[in-house]
Amino acid sequence: MSKKGGDIKEMDVSDEKEAGTRARVEEVLGRTGSRGGVTQVRVVIQDKKGRSIIRNVKGPVRVGDNLILLETEREARRLR
């Protein structure tokens, strides 16, 4: 049987590394969102000498978890 469609591109490990920036969860600040489905956390960016920012994370997260951030310039507004 022959498959119709296009060529399947295989993903290199190098492509995966360029896709994001590593960050470690330093502190869980609280729950946010209309139903509490988002957790606000302070993360330390591993590439930039300990720079920390606040981000919103969907799904389960705890202190010490490693995240891959697709962009690191934008920061979440702090909960009140």
Side-chain angles (χ1 to χ4, degrees), residues 30-40 56-61:
R31 306 286 281 185
T32 186
S34 62
R35 298 185 181 183
V38 178
T39 307
Q40 198 164 70
N56 293 329
V57 179
K58 186 174 178 181
V61 65

Side-chain angles (χ1 to χ4, degrees), residues 25-67:
V25 177
E26 182 179 66
E27 179 184 2
V28 175
L29 301 174
R31 306 286 281 185
T32 186
S34 62
R35 298 185 181 183
V38 178
T39 307
Q40 198 164 70
V41 296
R42 180 178 305 279
V43 297
V44 176
I45 299 172
Q46 302 296 317
D47 297 348
K48 295 187 178 181
K49 297 183 181 180
R51 178 174 172 233
S52 71
I53 60 173
I54 297 172
R55 294 298 296 257
N56 293 329
V57 179
K58 186 174 178 181
V61 65
R62 59 184 171 194
V63 174
D65 283 354
N66 290 313
L67 305 176

Side-chain angles (χ1 to χ4, degrees), residues 7-40:
D7 294 332
I8 297 173
K9 182 185 173 199
E10 293 184 19
M11 190 170 176
D12 285 350
V13 175
S14 61
D15 291 343
E16 194 173 322
K17 286 183 181 179
E18 293 174 8
T21 303
R22 293 188 58 177
R24 184 178 40 82
V25 177
E26 182 179 66
E27 179 184 2
V28 175
L29 301 174
R31 306 286 281 185
T32 186
S34 62
R35 298 185 181 183
V38 178
T39 307
Q40 198 164 70

